Amino acid sequence: LGYLHETGDGVTQDYMRARILYQSAVDRGLDDARLRLAICHLEGWGGPVDRAAFLRELRAAAESDYVPAQRILSSVYFMGFGVPDDPAEGLRWIERAARLNDPSAQLQLGRTAEALRRMGLMSDLALARDWYKLSAEQEYLAAMRALARSFFVPSSTDFNVTTGRRWWELATE
């Protein structure tokens, strides 16, 4: 109901009512309502902009293992939005989401591992491929393409056209 009031879908759009309903849902233990409440605080919907409240609600949602909140909190730390930028903390949150079997987070971790390899901080693509494969096995198309592409890296010690092609074909299907 809070979301309907937030968006005006079938009811009069009323951010204050949405915020009240989200808070009520949070008070009753619905942790995923925390993310919507956090966004209300961030955007100033139904009350003043309050970045501290945004971060508090976002963190609480992430700590309750609500994966979308974990992905956003990870980005907050990577960007330094309202907090000092802290790539290690950002990585911790995205890894937590990935370990909860979120294909988007797994893809992001694969991309991060691949970037670390390009910077010379990792010796091979094994970790990136492991995360890509976990995501790809859930039929996450972007991960299938990323995994395929990783086998066509000329500087890779395990350049493998056959395996790369197989993942491209799976993505195409």
Side-chain angles (χ1 to χ4, degrees), residues 38 41-43 48-58 80-83:
H41 288 297
L42 176 66
E43 296 293 336
V49 170
D50 185 342
R51 283 199 179 166
F54 162 71
L55 291 168
R56 181 182 65 246
E57 295 298 339
L58 181 61
F81 182 79
V83 297

Side-chain angles (χ1 to χ4, degrees), residues 122-140:
M122 294 181 76
S123 61
D124 62 28
L125 290 169
L127 182 61
R129 286 183 180 146
D130 286 346
W131 285 114
Y132 288 151
K133 189 172 182 195
L134 285 171
S135 181
E137 287 173 343
Q138 296 180 65
E139 299 187 19
Y140 199 65

